[in-house]
Every structure is written in C-alpha cells, then in structure tokens.
Amino acid sequence: MTEPVRISGADVAPEQQAVRYELAILSFQLLDGPKAAEGVLPWVEGHGELLGCWQTENGPLGRLVVLRGFENQQALDEERLRARHSRAPFGGEHLTDLSLRSYAPFPFVPPVRPGKYGSVYEIRDYHLRPGGLTATIDGWREALPARHLVDPLTVVMYALDGPDRIIQIWPFSSLDERLAIRRDLYAKGMWPPPGAPEEILDADSIIAVPTEFSPLA
C-alpha cells in the first residue's frame, strides 16, 4: 500500500494551494462501461494529470468518475474549453451525458498522491448553505489530521462553480472496513468536524471501484 500524504492542519505551500481539480462524470448505458472507459486515456493524455478513474457500484449506475489535477486555474480553464469545443470529449461515442466540475483543494490538503490505497472508494458530495464554506474548512482543519491517521483521505475540495459544495474522496479495503471505521470515529468523537454538519443542506454518496488504469487504486 502507498504511504498517504501527511495532513497537519497547517496550510500547504501556495503552489500546492493553486492546484485545481476537474471531476468529470461520464454517463453511459449500463452495458457500455468498457467502451466508455476506452475513451478516457486517449482524451486525457498530455492534458493535466490523470489521478483516478472509477466506475460506480452504489448510487447512480452507468457512470465513470474521472479525477484530474492541473497546476493552476489557467490550465484547467484551457482544458475546459477544449472539452466544450470537442465533438467527442472523452471519446464521446458511447456517452449519454457528461458533467465537468471544477474544484480547489482545502488550503491545508496537499495535492493528491496516486497509489494503491483501497479496492473501493467513497465519493461524498455535500451541498452547503450559502456562505457555509469557511466554517466547514475551519472544522475540517481541526478534525481531519487525527482522522487521516486512521482513515487516510484522498482529497477534500470545494466547488468553484455552481452552489457551495464540497467533494471528499476516501479509499477503503472493503465496504465492511468503511462501516467499521466510520462507526468507531463517531463513537470516539473524532468525527464529524466541529461546526461543519450545521452547514450541510443535503448530501450524496457514491461507492465506486477503480478501473484497471486508474492511478488511484
């Protein structure tokens, strides 16, 4: 297993805070997953850094979730324009829909480190109250370093477009491990972060498994 990055709660260097992420949701007919996946690598090659690609198992089915990193906002904006002007983004032929969303990392979270962390990933999406991001970041800054030691985080990031939202990605060896860890964290009072749940309007969770070519596995 890959050693997780260290999270102390202190802000990371400015160039690391400047990193931007794209989370692409590729939709397809249920039997077209392998064909949809074939278009990912040719599309992303030479454009940002492919960090993860997962196929959903719980939650909305018929989806691929693709995470890429970019050095800065300009690089992400240029890639977004490339996608919008393409007749077949991500291969396109077998896609029924495509959602592209932009994110910035929490200021104390280092860039995503590819590697082997778990066979299943949870992708949690929190819709926040307007103005709720600051309190959410403050709460996570206080609580995440201790949780990260026993339950390493892949990334937590906030939306740069649309309503106030945060995305968090967690790897687990199994769904049983996920349930056991979460129960233990709650029982010990290590989670949720102080003040953060009050800012959540609604929440969604997807369980997904890495594709064969996913750098995060």
Side-chain angles (χ1 to χ4, degrees), residues 39-158:
V40 173
L41 286 179
W43 175 258
V44 303
E45 184 176 4
H47 298 276
E49 180 183 7
L50 176 64
L51 298 170
C53 182
W54 303 272
Q55 184 162 342
T56 58
E57 289 292 333
N58 293 84
L61 300 180
R63 306 286 191 277
L64 284 174
V65 181
V66 181
L67 177 67
R68 277 191 291 172
F70 297 86
E71 290 186 357
N72 51 46
Q73 187 66 47
Q74 179 180 348
L76 174 57
D77 290 344
E78 291 173 355
E79 178 61 4
R80 182 60 48 81
L81 286 175
R82 184 174 78 99
R84 293 308 186 199
H85 289 281
S86 172
R87 295 184 64 87
F90 288 91
E93 179 181 356
H94 299 287
L95 300 185
T96 59
D97 200 3
L98 174 64
S99 172
L100 301 174
R101 300 173 183 174
S102 305
Y103 296 89
F106 279 21
F108 56 90
V109 175
V112 173
R113 177 186 294 172
K116 295 187 178 297
Y117 299 99
S119 58
V120 296
Y121 280 71
E122 182 180 22
I123 304 169
R124 296 177 72 90
D125 185 340
Y126 289 171
H127 178 189
L128 305 180
R129 299 179 184 277
L133 180 61
T134 298
T136 300
I137 291 176
D138 290 345
W140 277 68
R141 186 191 298 274
E142 180 177 339
L144 181 60
R147 174 173 178 173
H148 185 66
L149 293 175
V150 297
D151 181 24
L153 172 80
T154 297
V155 70
V156 58
M157 51 194 183
Y158 61 90

Side-chain angles (χ1 to χ4, degrees), residues 126-136 162-166 195-202:
Y126 289 171
H127 178 189
L128 305 180
R129 299 179 184 277
L133 180 61
T134 298
T136 300
D164 282 342
R165 295 167 50 250
I166 68 169
E198 292 82 356
E199 306 300 334
I200 300 172
L201 292 177
D202 55 69

Side-chain angles (χ1 to χ4, degrees), residues 1 54 116-121 171-175 177 207-210 217:
M1 300 296 284
W54 303 272
K116 295 187 178 297
Y117 299 99
S119 58
V120 296
Y121 280 71
F172 299 97
S173 63
S174 67
L175 292 180
E177 182 196 52
I207 300 297
V209 296

Side-chain angles (χ1 to χ4, degrees), residues 162-210:
D164 282 342
R165 295 167 50 250
I166 68 169
I167 292 285
Q168 50 193 287
I169 302 177
W170 305 87
F172 299 97
S173 63
S174 67
L175 292 180
D176 287 341
E177 182 196 52
R178 171 188 173 274
L179 184 59
I181 287 176
R182 291 184 64 83
R183 283 177 173 172
D184 189 55
L185 290 168
Y186 279 95
K188 293 179 178 178
M190 297 176 64
W191 205 257
E198 292 82 356
E199 306 300 334
I200 300 172
L201 292 177
D202 55 69
D204 292 308
S205 176
I206 291 173
I207 300 297
V209 296

